[in-house]
Amino acid sequence: MVQAVGVIADIVGSRRMTDRAAAQRVIAQTFAETEAVVSSVRAAWATVGDEFQVIVATWQDALRVTLRLQVLLPEAIQLRYGIGAGEINTLEEGESGPIQDGTAWLHARAAIEDVEDRQQRRDEVLTGFGCDDADLVAAVNAQLSFRDHVVARLKARERRLLAALLFGSTQQEAAQTERISQAAVSQALHRSGAMALLEADDMLAVSSDAKDPKEDA
């Protein structure tokens, strides 16, 4: 049994999709691209139904992974996320992935169910967090609430620019791709709130690197 962070990702409105298998392939590829930037403890795998799971070392990494998934996935494919920090115990290896239990998965499941309830009230929040530390839960979920609302309001170009920078491009490179000026990129990022998300992501990366995963709660 290890201390880690489990992330559950569930496809929103999967029953209305005409080609769920194709959507799952896109999601799997997007996870792979994301994990090339933010390392995982165990790479994402598909579970029963329309869910994916991934294990990362810290809650900071979980926030960085879910942000990248949000902005990189096509608009037609949306995921809701439950993040849980705690213990993860592998019971056995199944055909499609490990069979696990532990408090991390219990917290993740409770978090994603809370997100689903909020969506039914037309809330734009897609991500929830849980662990044994009530103060940390409140702080992280407050951050996620603001983050998800900003992402939901991004225009298509703003989303592409944010994705490009999250995956390592410079503003100049993003400008060349979009055929606009670097100044226009900077203005779009600041106007939309995407620059604040980039700065927060940088802070989360520093915090995660400085943290011993064994101490995660």
Side-chain angles (χ1 to χ4, degrees), residues 48-166:
V48 294
D50 294 306
E51 285 188 356
F52 287 78
Q53 295 181 354
V54 64
I55 302 173
V56 295
T58 66
W59 64 264
Q60 293 95 325
D61 284 345
L63 267 60
R64 299 183 70 222
V65 165
T66 52
L67 175 59
R68 283 162 174 78
L69 290 168
Q70 281 180 313
V71 299
L72 191 59
L73 282 169
E75 290 187 15
I77 302 175
Q78 190 177 65
L79 300 177
R80 65 173 68 90
Y81 308 92
I83 302 169
E87 295 178 341
I88 293 180
N89 180 39
T90 300
L91 303 175
E92 62 179 285
E93 294 292 336
E95 291 184 3
S96 59
I99 299 174
Q100 298 176 326
D101 64 8
T103 56
W105 292 122
L106 292 176
H107 287 308
R109 181 62 61 189
I112 202 169
E113 289 174 353
D114 180 64
V115 168
E116 188 170 9
D117 288 341
R118 294 179 66 175
Q119 285 184 317
Q120 291 176 355
R121 300 193 298 271
R122 299 187 182 277
D123 197 311
E124 292 177 325
V125 173
L126 289 172
T127 320
F129 171 75
C131 72
D132 291 334
D133 184 336
D135 290 336
L136 180 59
V137 169
V140 173
N141 280 320
Q143 180 181 165
L144 289 170
S145 180
F146 282 108
R147 183 194 82 176
D148 288 359
H149 278 81
V150 170
V151 172
R153 285 164 171 73
L154 293 177
K155 298 177 182 178
R157 172 172 282 175
E158 294 165 347
R159 183 182 292 263
R160 292 195 303 270
L161 292 173
L162 175 56
L165 269 66
L166 284 171

Side-chain angles (χ1 to χ4, degrees), residues 28-49:
Q29 177 59 36
T30 306
F31 262 110
E33 293 179 38
T34 297
E35 290 166 13
V37 178
V38 183
S39 298
S40 61
V41 173
R42 180 144 193 165
W45 69 96
T47 64
V48 294

